[in-house]
């Protein structure tokens, strides 16, 4: 194991959410000089809960952050499913559904994870907030970067960790539409007042093609995370692959489609739609995956959602980001050239990514049935689950054995 290969010492990472700071941590530990550029003015603090499971727990343990993640664990006590009239179908323990290992796998607010990762590395690497990459120019010797702020710098390697709508990927590989695989749903998330007095629980309402959830990650004094999901197929291309929709980010959230679909008067739907209209943290997008035939070109690479977003339907985006960062840093530290390292990163990590992306296919999300018949079938399965022993965890979560980490500094 080398301490950062001789030709790749100086690395720029775009994005400071999960994959970016995790990669920065590992590269620093291997002896690289690291700069992270983030377009937001501070680490993102958005609070929706995300899962960290299986191999990603091992990454967190190697980073020494597991005790802090365990302290931040959300401890959801139950998930209650409601029918279209708002009547209860069944109540389950969360790990029964996710196939998680109770007591080992974790659920934390995304902002908490980002803050923990950022704290771990903030003193060791340079962070440039409120800035982004404008242009990238690869030469034989490095990558010349112009930042939006006007600053010019040269790096040995540039890594895009800037999420599903990655600007770095657009610069390197072309338009998102080539790699974006629509999964047939459109969603909105936002916070709203906890008028129901919910505490550490999730209520999930389903009608065919529509679902709404209220998630209390705290106690009855804390706001709720509201979630609306709508079956929104966008047609299929001639070859049977889902048609590629235009990129839609949330700068100007488009809620018309969702508002016009959720006209139900049952349960809390009118209040949730009303709260969406008033929310100041509304985020909407299509549910999609990113599939790229290669995650690198020359002296540039991608990690996390930018390279292989699996969608929240798999619950594995965060885990892929943490594991991908670990594998990329290890490859860069243990190969003599960036070319060999980036090939090894792809070779060693792709089967894990594929296994996790394959947990879901177009329109097939088990929790979000799109017809009355599939909703009925799902409800029957849920009622049986309540009486079954805890299922075995999904093998995809642990489908990679990590190489040894470097000695603890
Ligand atoms: C509603 C919702 C629920 C989810 N639930 C789960 C779940 O239960 N489990 C799970 O594992 N995953 C879940 N995910 C997915 C998870 O959030 C992502 O997979 C994960 O955050 C990916 O991390 P990342 O660091 O690759 O990208 P991101 O978290 O998307 O971060 C990208 C970063 O890059 C920055 N950035 C973007 N563009 C630029 C630019 N041009 N220049 C500089 N910086 C830029 C952004 O500001 C951001 O900080 C969910 C996602 C959503 C939206």
């Amino acid at each position: 194991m080398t301490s950062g290969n001789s030709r790749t010492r100086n690395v720029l990472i775009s994005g400071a959410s999960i994959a970016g700071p995790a990669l920065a941590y590992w590269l620093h530990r291997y002896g690289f000089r690291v700069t992270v550029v983030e377009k937001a003015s501070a680490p993102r603090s958005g609070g929706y809960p995300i899962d960290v499971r299986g191999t990603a727990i091992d990454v967190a343990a190697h980073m020494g952050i597991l005790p802090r993640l365990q302290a931040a664990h959300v401890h959801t006590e139950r998930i209650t499913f409601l029918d279209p009239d708002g009547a209860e179908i069944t109540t389950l323990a969360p790990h029964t559904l996710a196939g998680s290992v109770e007591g080992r796998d974790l659920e934390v607010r995304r902002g908490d994870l980002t803050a923990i990762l950022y704290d771990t590395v903030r003193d060791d690497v340079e962070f440039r907030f409120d800035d982004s990459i404008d242009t990238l120019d690869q030469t034989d010797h490095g990558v010349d970067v112009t930042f939006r702020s006007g600053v010019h710098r040269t790096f040995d390697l540039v890594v895009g960790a800037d999420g599903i709508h990655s600007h770095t990927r657009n610069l390197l590989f072309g338009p998102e539409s080539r790699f974006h695989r629509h999964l047939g749903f459109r969603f909105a998330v936002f916070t709203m007042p906890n008028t129901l007095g919910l505490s550490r629980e999730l209520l999930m309402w389903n009608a065919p093609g529509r679902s709404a959830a209220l998630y209390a990650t705290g106690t009855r004094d804390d706001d709720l995370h509201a979630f609306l999901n709508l079956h929104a197929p966008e047609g299929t291309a001639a070859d049977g692959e889902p048609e590629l929709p235009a990129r839609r980010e949330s700068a100007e959230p488009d809620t018309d489609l969702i508002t016009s679909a959720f006209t139900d008067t049952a349960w809390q739907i009118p209040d949730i739609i009303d709260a969406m209209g008033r929310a100041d943290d509304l985020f909407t997008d299509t549910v999609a995956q990113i599939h790229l035939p290669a995650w690198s070109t020359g002296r540039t690479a991608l990690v996390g959602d930018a390279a292989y977003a699996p969608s929240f339907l798999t619950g594995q985006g965060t885990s892929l980001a943490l594991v991908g960062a670990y594998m990329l840093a290890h490859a860069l530290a243990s190969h003599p050239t960036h070319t060999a390292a980036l090939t090894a990163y792809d070779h060693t990590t792709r089967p894990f990514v594929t296994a996790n992306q394959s947990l879901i296919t177009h329109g097939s999300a088990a929790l979000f049935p799109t017809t009355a018949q599939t909703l009925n079938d799902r409800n029957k399965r849920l009622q049986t689950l309540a009486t079954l022993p805890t299922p075995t965890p999904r093998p995809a979560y642990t489908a990679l054995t990590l190489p040894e980490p470097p000695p603890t500094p």
Side-chain angles (χ1 to χ4, degrees):
M1 179 85 53
T2 57
S3 172
N5 72 52
S6 57
R7 298 190 195 158
T8 313
R9 306 273 325 159
N10 180 18
V11 181
L12 172 67
I13 300 167
S14 174
S17 172
I18 292 162
L23 179 63
Y25 171 87
W26 286 109
L27 287 178
H28 168 73
R29 232 172 107 171
Y30 282 117
F32 294 80
R33 279 195 315 281
V34 183
T35 301
V36 181
V37 61
E38 164 62 51
K39 73 176 180 183
S41 54
R44 298 266 187 193
S45 59
Y48 62 80
I50 44 103
D51 301 295
V52 183
R53 303 190 188 111
T55 308
I57 293 285
D58 298 336
V59 173
H62 289 323
M63 292 177 85
I65 60 171
L66 202 47
R68 289 188 68 187
L69 290 185
Q70 284 162 340
H73 180 51
V74 163
H75 286 296
T76 305
E77 287 165 4
R78 59 185 167 276
I79 303 179
T80 303
F81 288 88
L82 306 172
D83 73 11
D85 297 323
E88 181 174 331
I89 298 165
T90 188
T91 295
L92 296 172
H95 65 273
T96 315
L97 271 181
S100 302
V101 181
E102 200 183 7
R104 177 175 157 84
D105 294 341
L106 297 171
E107 189 170 24
V108 294
R109 295 175 187 86
R110 187 170 86 144
D112 289 349
L113 175 56
T114 296
I116 291 167
L117 292 169
Y118 175 61
D119 270 3
T120 309
V121 77
R122 63 188 298 174
D123 295 333
D124 300 320
V125 313
E126 175 195 2
F127 278 88
R128 300 178 62 89
F129 286 106
D130 216 359
D131 206 355
S132 57
I133 297 171
D134 216 355
T135 63
L136 290 168
D137 189 14
Q138 300 204 47
T139 68
D140 288 345
H141 308 293
V143 190
D144 296 328
V145 176
T146 308
F147 291 96
R148 200 193 56 212
S149 56
V151 170
H152 298 277
R153 297 260 296 269
T154 299
F155 297 89
D156 296 317
L157 191 83
V158 174
V159 182
D162 44 0
I164 190 166
H165 301 302
S166 169
H167 177 60
T168 314
R169 189 187 59 231
N170 284 355
L171 290 174
L172 298 174
F173 294 97
E176 180 172 321
S177 54
R178 290 186 197 159
F179 314 112
H180 183 282
R181 197 171 289 180
H182 181 50
L183 291 178
F185 298 92
R186 181 160 189 83
F187 72 93
V189 277
F190 48 95
T191 50
M192 64 179 275
N194 189 355
T195 49
L196 296 181
L198 303 179
S199 176
R200 304 199 184 286
E201 64 185 301
L202 172 66
L203 297 188
M204 165 89 76
W205 171 93
N206 286 90
R210 298 187 306 292
S211 58
L214 291 177
Y215 201 165
T217 55
T219 62
R220 53 183 58 238
D221 298 326
D222 299 307
D223 279 350
L224 299 174
H225 297 282
F227 170 81
L228 294 165
N229 196 35
L230 173 67
H231 183 223
E234 305 210 9
T236 50
D239 62 2
E241 282 297 300
E243 194 172 274
L244 304 170
R247 171 183 165 171
R248 287 203 212 110
E249 234 188 322
S250 52
E252 282 300 326
D254 165 18
T255 55
D256 291 355
L257 194 62
I258 288 179
T259 308
S260 57
F262 282 84
T263 51
D264 312 73
T265 52
W267 189 49
Q268 298 288 313
I269 302 302
D271 288 353
I272 296 174
I273 293 294
D274 192 44
M276 178 171 72
R278 286 183 278 107
D280 58 11
D281 59 353
L282 172 64
F283 178 89
T284 75
D285 206 345
T286 51
V287 181
Q289 294 186 333
I290 293 295
H291 290 256
L292 278 155
W295 302 328
S296 64
T297 168
R299 291 174 170 276
T300 55
L302 301 170
V303 68
D305 270 11
Y308 31 73
S311 90
F312 74 80
L313 297 178
T314 66
Q316 281 293 89
T318 304
S319 294
L320 290 190
L322 289 170
V323 172
Y326 184 95
M327 296 302 286
L328 175 54
H330 181 272
L332 286 166
S334 51
H335 289 82
T337 64
H338 66 270
T339 313
L342 295 177
T343 305
Y345 161 53
D346 198 312
H347 182 72
T348 53
T349 314
R350 196 171 282 273
F352 181 63
V353 165
T354 304
N356 283 285
Q357 288 190 319
S358 305
L359 292 170
I360 216 84
T361 52
H362 187 260
S364 74
L367 280 183
F368 307 110
T370 56
T371 64
Q373 180 62 50
T374 52
L375 179 58
N376 246 331
D377 294 346
R378 186 213 63 169
N379 290 346
K380 280 189 197 136
R381 277 199 310 277
L382 287 176
Q383 282 164 331
T384 325
L385 264 185
T387 58
L388 287 176
T390 303
T392 0
R394 296 196 173 111
Y397 300 164
T398 50
L400 188 147
T401 305
L402 296 176
E404 280 300 305
T408 311

Tab-separated table of all heavy atoms in Angstrom, residues 345-387:
chain	number	residue	atom	x	y	z
A	345	TYR	N	-11.084	0.546	-9.290
A	345	TYR	CA	-12.281	1.062	-8.580
A	345	TYR	C	-13.541	0.525	-9.246
A	345	TYR	O	-14.440	-0.015	-8.593
A	345	TYR	CB	-12.215	2.592	-8.603
A	345	TYR	CG	-13.514	3.346	-8.334
A	345	TYR	CD1	-14.290	3.089	-7.200
A	345	TYR	CD2	-13.931	4.366	-9.209
A	345	TYR	CE1	-15.455	3.816	-6.958
A	345	TYR	CE2	-15.093	5.099	-8.963
A	345	TYR	CZ	-15.858	4.814	-7.849
A	345	TYR	OH	-17.014	5.529	-7.602
A	346	ASP	N	-13.600	0.636	-10.565
A	346	ASP	CA	-14.776	0.162	-11.310
A	346	ASP	C	-14.939	-1.351	-11.138
A	346	ASP	O	-16.023	-1.858	-10.800
A	346	ASP	CB	-14.600	0.545	-12.790
A	346	ASP	CG	-15.908	0.512	-13.553
A	346	ASP	OD1	-16.641	-0.489	-13.429
A	346	ASP	OD2	-16.206	1.474	-14.278
A	347	HIS	N	-13.836	-2.064	-11.333
A	347	HIS	CA	-13.859	-3.523	-11.321
A	347	HIS	C	-14.322	-4.067	-9.958
A	347	HIS	O	-15.119	-4.999	-9.884
A	347	HIS	CB	-12.446	-4.014	-11.654
A	347	HIS	CG	-12.330	-5.481	-11.723
A	347	HIS	ND1	-12.861	-6.234	-12.751
A	347	HIS	CD2	-11.766	-6.363	-10.859
A	347	HIS	CE1	-12.632	-7.502	-12.526
A	347	HIS	NE2	-11.963	-7.607	-11.388
A	348	THR	N	-13.805	-3.458	-8.873
A	348	THR	CA	-14.087	-4.013	-7.547
A	348	THR	C	-15.449	-3.557	-7.002
A	348	THR	O	-16.045	-4.238	-6.174
A	348	THR	CB	-13.006	-3.580	-6.523
A	348	THR	OG1	-12.886	-2.153	-6.569
A	348	THR	CG2	-11.666	-4.217	-6.830
A	349	THR	N	-15.920	-2.418	-7.452
A	349	THR	CA	-17.120	-1.828	-6.831
A	349	THR	C	-18.385	-2.087	-7.640
A	349	THR	O	-19.494	-2.114	-7.101
A	349	THR	CB	-16.906	-0.304	-6.643
A	349	THR	OG1	-15.609	-0.090	-6.092
A	349	THR	CG2	-17.936	0.311	-5.722
A	350	ARG	N	-18.249	-2.294	-8.941
A	350	ARG	CA	-19.440	-2.388	-9.805
A	350	ARG	C	-20.395	-3.525	-9.422
A	350	ARG	O	-21.618	-3.332	-9.400
A	350	ARG	CB	-19.045	-2.459	-11.288
A	350	ARG	CG	-20.210	-2.177	-12.217
A	350	ARG	CD	-19.768	-2.031	-13.671
A	350	ARG	NE	-19.183	-0.746	-13.967
A	350	ARG	CZ	-19.875	0.336	-14.338
A	350	ARG	NH1	-21.186	0.276	-14.471
A	350	ARG	NH2	-19.251	1.454	-14.595
A	351	PRO	N	-19.897	-4.725	-9.085
A	351	PRO	CA	-20.860	-5.783	-8.734
A	351	PRO	C	-21.740	-5.400	-7.538
A	351	PRO	O	-22.934	-5.710	-7.507
A	351	PRO	CB	-19.958	-6.984	-8.405
A	351	PRO	CG	-18.680	-6.711	-9.141
A	351	PRO	CD	-18.504	-5.219	-9.134
A	352	PHE	N	-21.150	-4.700	-6.558
A	352	PHE	CA	-21.901	-4.252	-5.380
A	352	PHE	C	-22.962	-3.227	-5.792
A	352	PHE	O	-24.123	-3.294	-5.376
A	352	PHE	CB	-20.908	-3.640	-4.381
A	352	PHE	CG	-21.529	-3.150	-3.102
A	352	PHE	CD1	-22.161	-4.025	-2.232
A	352	PHE	CD2	-21.457	-1.808	-2.753
A	352	PHE	CE1	-22.718	-3.568	-1.031
A	352	PHE	CE2	-22.006	-1.335	-1.572
A	352	PHE	CZ	-22.642	-2.224	-0.703
A	353	VAL	N	-22.554	-2.291	-6.650
A	353	VAL	CA	-23.489	-1.273	-7.137
A	353	VAL	C	-24.638	-1.935	-7.902
A	353	VAL	O	-25.818	-1.650	-7.677
A	353	VAL	CB	-22.741	-0.257	-8.037
A	353	VAL	CG1	-23.716	0.572	-8.848
A	353	VAL	CG2	-21.839	0.639	-7.180
A	354	THR	N	-24.293	-2.858	-8.789
A	354	THR	CA	-25.314	-3.512	-9.617
A	354	THR	C	-26.297	-4.290	-8.742
A	354	THR	O	-27.518	-4.222	-8.941
A	354	THR	CB	-24.644	-4.461	-10.642
A	354	THR	OG1	-23.711	-3.690	-11.393
A	354	THR	CG2	-25.645	-5.093	-11.578
A	355	ALA	N	-25.759	-4.994	-7.747
A	355	ALA	CA	-26.642	-5.782	-6.862
A	355	ALA	C	-27.637	-4.864	-6.157
A	355	ALA	O	-28.812	-5.203	-5.995
A	355	ALA	CB	-25.811	-6.540	-5.839
A	356	ASN	N	-27.188	-3.689	-5.751
A	356	ASN	CA	-28.076	-2.786	-5.006
A	356	ASN	C	-29.026	-2.033	-5.925
A	356	ASN	O	-30.196	-1.845	-5.588
A	356	ASN	CB	-27.248	-1.846	-4.129
A	356	ASN	CG	-26.755	-2.570	-2.892
A	356	ASN	OD1	-27.529	-2.821	-1.970
A	356	ASN	ND2	-25.494	-2.982	-2.896
A	357	GLN	N	-28.547	-1.626	-7.092
A	357	GLN	CA	-29.473	-0.971	-8.035
A	357	GLN	C	-30.555	-1.952	-8.487
A	357	GLN	O	-31.688	-1.559	-8.766
A	357	GLN	CB	-28.711	-0.427	-9.243
A	357	GLN	CG	-27.873	0.809	-8.915
A	357	GLN	CD	-27.305	1.486	-10.136
A	357	GLN	OE1	-26.847	0.806	-11.061
A	357	GLN	NE2	-27.318	2.807	-10.165
A	358	SER	N	-30.207	-3.242	-8.526
A	358	SER	CA	-31.170	-4.249	-9.008
A	358	SER	C	-32.258	-4.556	-7.984
A	358	SER	O	-33.169	-5.351	-8.270
A	358	SER	CB	-30.446	-5.550	-9.367
A	358	SER	OG	-29.431	-5.279	-10.289
A	359	LEU	N	-32.161	-3.984	-6.789
A	359	LEU	CA	-33.223	-4.213	-5.802
A	359	LEU	C	-34.556	-3.666	-6.286
A	359	LEU	O	-35.614	-3.988	-5.751
A	359	LEU	CB	-32.858	-3.553	-4.464
A	359	LEU	CG	-31.680	-4.181	-3.709
A	359	LEU	CD1	-31.259	-3.307	-2.537
A	359	LEU	CD2	-32.058	-5.579	-3.219
A	360	ILE	N	-34.499	-2.819	-7.317
A	360	ILE	CA	-35.717	-2.165	-7.795
A	360	ILE	C	-35.677	-2.082	-9.323
A	360	ILE	O	-34.615	-1.949	-9.908
A	360	ILE	CB	-35.818	-0.749	-7.162
A	360	ILE	CG1	-37.241	-0.390	-6.856
A	360	ILE	CG2	-35.139	0.319	-7.948
A	360	ILE	CD1	-37.680	-0.933	-5.528
A	361	THR	N	-36.858	-2.207	-9.948
A	361	THR	CA	-36.923	-1.987	-11.391
A	361	THR	C	-38.091	-1.056	-11.691
A	361	THR	O	-38.882	-0.745	-10.804
A	361	THR	CB	-37.117	-3.317	-12.172
A	361	THR	OG1	-38.234	-3.981	-11.604
A	361	THR	CG2	-35.881	-4.186	-12.101
A	362	HIS	N	-38.209	-0.654	-12.934
A	362	HIS	CA	-39.202	0.343	-13.326
A	362	HIS	C	-40.608	-0.033	-12.854
A	362	HIS	O	-41.111	-1.105	-13.166
A	362	HIS	CB	-39.177	0.505	-14.852
A	362	HIS	CG	-40.042	1.626	-15.339
A	362	HIS	ND1	-41.294	1.435	-15.850
A	362	HIS	CD2	-39.831	2.960	-15.370
A	362	HIS	CE1	-41.824	2.602	-16.194
A	362	HIS	NE2	-40.947	3.545	-15.910
A	363	GLY	N	-41.242	0.860	-12.070
A	363	GLY	CA	-42.630	0.663	-11.642
A	363	GLY	C	-42.854	-0.482	-10.676
A	363	GLY	O	-43.989	-0.861	-10.420
A	364	SER	N	-41.744	-1.039	-10.104
A	364	SER	CA	-41.918	-2.281	-9.340
A	364	SER	C	-41.827	-2.081	-7.832
A	364	SER	O	-41.707	-3.040	-7.107
A	364	SER	CB	-40.829	-3.282	-9.742
A	364	SER	OG	-39.596	-2.877	-9.182
A	365	ALA	N	-41.834	-0.834	-7.361
A	365	ALA	CA	-41.607	-0.591	-5.938
A	365	ALA	C	-42.679	-1.267	-5.083
A	365	ALA	O	-43.858	-0.912	-5.157
A	365	ALA	CB	-41.583	0.905	-5.685
A	366	ALA	N	-42.256	-2.219	-4.251
A	366	ALA	CA	-43.218	-3.022	-3.482
A	366	ALA	C	-44.056	-2.166	-2.536
A	366	ALA	O	-45.216	-2.488	-2.274
A	366	ALA	CB	-42.455	-4.089	-2.699
A	367	LEU	N	-43.487	-1.082	-2.041
A	367	LEU	CA	-44.228	-0.258	-1.079
A	367	LEU	C	-45.217	0.685	-1.751
A	367	LEU	O	-46.018	1.313	-1.083
A	367	LEU	CB	-43.254	0.561	-0.236
A	367	LEU	CG	-42.578	-0.177	0.914
A	367	LEU	CD1	-41.695	0.783	1.699
A	367	LEU	CD2	-43.604	-0.810	1.850
A	368	PHE	N	-45.126	0.829	-3.078
A	368	PHE	CA	-45.959	1.819	-3.775
A	368	PHE	C	-46.712	1.175	-4.938
A	368	PHE	O	-46.436	1.452	-6.106
A	368	PHE	CB	-45.073	2.979	-4.282
A	368	PHE	CG	-44.229	3.586	-3.204
A	368	PHE	CD1	-42.853	3.414	-3.190
A	368	PHE	CD2	-44.812	4.311	-2.179
A	368	PHE	CE1	-42.077	3.964	-2.175
A	368	PHE	CE2	-44.040	4.864	-1.159
A	368	PHE	CZ	-42.670	4.688	-1.159
A	369	PRO	N	-47.681	0.299	-4.632
A	369	PRO	CA	-48.417	-0.395	-5.704
A	369	PRO	C	-49.170	0.600	-6.583
A	369	PRO	O	-49.663	1.620	-6.089
A	369	PRO	CB	-49.399	-1.286	-4.937
A	369	PRO	CG	-48.886	-1.353	-3.552
A	369	PRO	CD	-48.163	-0.085	-3.305
A	370	THR	N	-49.257	0.277	-7.857
A	370	THR	CA	-49.838	1.237	-8.805
A	370	THR	C	-51.254	0.860	-9.237
A	370	THR	O	-51.916	1.651	-9.903
A	370	THR	CB	-48.932	1.365	-10.050
A	370	THR	OG1	-48.777	0.058	-10.597
A	370	THR	CG2	-47.576	1.928	-9.690
A	371	THR	N	-51.725	-0.346	-8.886
A	371	THR	CA	-53.099	-0.730	-9.250
A	371	THR	C	-53.833	-1.243	-8.007
A	371	THR	O	-53.191	-1.619	-7.009
A	371	THR	CB	-53.108	-1.872	-10.298
A	371	THR	OG1	-52.530	-3.036	-9.686
A	371	THR	CG2	-52.316	-1.516	-11.546
A	372	ALA	N	-55.165	-1.283	-8.092
A	372	ALA	CA	-55.961	-1.760	-6.953
A	372	ALA	C	-55.580	-3.204	-6.609
A	372	ALA	O	-55.468	-3.577	-5.430
A	372	ALA	CB	-57.444	-1.657	-7.292
A	373	GLN	N	-55.356	-4.018	-7.651
A	373	GLN	CA	-55.026	-5.424	-7.427
A	373	GLN	C	-53.679	-5.570	-6.694
A	373	GLN	O	-53.553	-6.300	-5.708
A	373	GLN	CB	-54.962	-6.143	-8.790
A	373	GLN	CG	-54.621	-7.621	-8.716
A	373	GLN	CD	-55.681	-8.403	-7.939
A	373	GLN	OE1	-56.872	-8.282	-8.209
A	373	GLN	NE2	-55.247	-9.177	-6.946
A	374	THR	N	-52.637	-4.842	-7.189
A	374	THR	CA	-51.319	-4.981	-6.545
A	374	THR	C	-51.333	-4.375	-5.137
A	374	THR	O	-50.628	-4.842	-4.253
A	374	THR	CB	-50.191	-4.354	-7.393
A	374	THR	OG1	-50.570	-3.004	-7.728
A	374	THR	CG2	-49.904	-5.129	-8.652
A	375	LEU	N	-52.156	-3.362	-4.938
A	375	LEU	CA	-52.270	-2.781	-3.586
A	375	LEU	C	-52.902	-3.810	-2.636
A	375	LEU	O	-52.410	-4.017	-1.516
A	375	LEU	CB	-53.109	-1.503	-3.642
A	375	LEU	CG	-53.334	-0.792	-2.310
A	375	LEU	CD1	-52.015	-0.418	-1.642
A	375	LEU	CD2	-54.183	0.472	-2.500
A	376	ASN	N	-53.941	-4.470	-3.095
A	376	ASN	CA	-54.577	-5.520	-2.302
A	376	ASN	C	-53.599	-6.623	-1.948
A	376	ASN	O	-53.525	-7.058	-0.795
A	376	ASN	CB	-55.706	-6.159	-3.130
A	376	ASN	CG	-57.037	-5.863	-2.494
A	376	ASN	OD1	-57.105	-5.691	-1.283
A	376	ASN	ND2	-58.078	-5.800	-3.314
A	377	ASP	N	-52.859	-7.077	-2.971
A	377	ASP	CA	-51.883	-8.157	-2.755
A	377	ASP	C	-50.835	-7.711	-1.738
A	377	ASP	O	-50.447	-8.463	-0.849
A	377	ASP	CB	-51.180	-8.534	-4.075
A	377	ASP	CG	-52.161	-9.142	-5.068
A	377	ASP	OD1	-53.287	-9.499	-4.643
A	377	ASP	OD2	-51.812	-9.241	-6.269
A	378	ARG	N	-50.368	-6.468	-1.889
A	378	ARG	CA	-49.341	-5.976	-0.971
A	378	ARG	C	-49.867	-5.940	0.458
A	378	ARG	O	-49.189	-6.344	1.400
A	378	ARG	CB	-48.888	-4.573	-1.370
A	378	ARG	CG	-47.712	-4.106	-0.525
A	378	ARG	CD	-47.714	-2.623	-0.265
A	378	ARG	NE	-48.862	-2.163	0.508
A	378	ARG	CZ	-48.963	-0.952	1.025
A	378	ARG	NH1	-47.987	-0.082	0.814
A	378	ARG	NH2	-50.025	-0.578	1.710
A	379	ASN	N	-51.101	-5.467	0.602
A	379	ASN	CA	-51.661	-5.374	1.953
A	379	ASN	C	-51.766	-6.746	2.601
A	379	ASN	O	-51.495	-6.912	3.794
A	379	ASN	CB	-53.023	-4.676	1.905
A	379	ASN	CG	-52.869	-3.201	1.577
A	379	ASN	OD1	-51.759	-2.667	1.645
A	379	ASN	ND2	-53.964	-2.540	1.208
A	380	LYS	N	-52.126	-7.742	1.795
A	380	LYS	CA	-52.204	-9.105	2.351
A	380	LYS	C	-50.818	-9.574	2.795
A	380	LYS	O	-50.662	-10.180	3.854
A	380	LYS	CB	-52.762	-10.060	1.300
A	380	LYS	CG	-54.268	-9.976	1.201
A	380	LYS	CD	-54.815	-11.077	0.306
A	380	LYS	CE	-56.225	-10.711	-0.110
A	380	LYS	NZ	-56.497	-10.935	-1.526
A	381	ARG	N	-49.795	-9.254	1.948
A	381	ARG	CA	-48.423	-9.663	2.308
A	381	ARG	C	-47.977	-8.980	3.599
A	381	ARG	O	-47.349	-9.586	4.448
A	381	ARG	CB	-47.446	-9.311	1.176
A	381	ARG	CG	-47.404	-10.352	0.059
A	381	ARG	CD	-46.145	-10.218	-0.777
A	381	ARG	NE	-45.908	-8.856	-1.233
A	381	ARG	CZ	-46.458	-8.308	-2.305
A	381	ARG	NH1	-47.285	-9.023	-3.048
A	381	ARG	NH2	-46.181	-7.071	-2.661
A	382	LEU	N	-48.321	-7.704	3.732
A	382	LEU	CA	-47.916	-6.959	4.936
A	382	LEU	C	-48.543	-7.581	6.181
A	382	LEU	O	-47.905	-7.712	7.221
A	382	LEU	CB	-48.345	-5.493	4.833
A	382	LEU	CG	-47.556	-4.619	3.858
A	382	LEU	CD1	-48.168	-3.214	3.794
A	382	LEU	CD2	-46.085	-4.526	4.257
A	383	GLN	N	-49.805	-8.005	6.055
A	383	GLN	CA	-50.477	-8.593	7.222
A	383	GLN	C	-49.818	-9.916	7.615
A	383	GLN	O	-49.713	-10.235	8.789
A	383	GLN	CB	-51.964	-8.776	6.934
A	383	GLN	CG	-52.690	-7.446	7.067
A	383	GLN	CD	-54.071	-7.444	6.438
A	383	GLN	OE1	-54.337	-8.166	5.469
A	383	GLN	NE2	-54.945	-6.610	6.953
A	384	THR	N	-49.318	-10.646	6.614
A	384	THR	CA	-48.631	-11.905	6.918
A	384	THR	C	-47.279	-11.612	7.572
A	384	THR	O	-46.862	-12.314	8.487
A	384	THR	CB	-48.352	-12.704	5.624
A	384	THR	OG1	-49.431	-12.489	4.750
A	384	THR	CG2	-48.099	-14.151	5.881
A	385	LEU	N	-46.595	-10.569	7.054
A	385	LEU	CA	-45.271	-10.233	7.584
A	385	LEU	C	-45.305	-10.023	9.086
A	385	LEU	O	-44.363	-10.377	9.793
A	385	LEU	CB	-44.783	-8.911	6.963
A	385	LEU	CG	-43.868	-8.952	5.737
A	385	LEU	CD1	-43.431	-7.530	5.400
A	385	LEU	CD2	-42.662	-9.841	5.988
A	386	ALA	N	-46.409	-9.441	9.546
A	386	ALA	CA	-46.518	-9.129	10.967
A	386	ALA	C	-46.447	-10.398	11.819
A	386	ALA	O	-46.064	-10.342	12.982
A	386	ALA	CB	-47.821	-8.393	11.234
A	387	THR	N	-46.777	-11.544	11.223
A	387	THR	CA	-46.786	-12.779	12.011
A	387	THR	C	-45.582	-13.671	11.699
A	387	THR	O	-45.444	-14.751	12.245
A	387	THR	CB	-48.061	-13.585	11.701
A	387	THR	OG1	-48.086	-13.855	10.286
A	387	THR	CG2	-49.306	-12.824	12.086
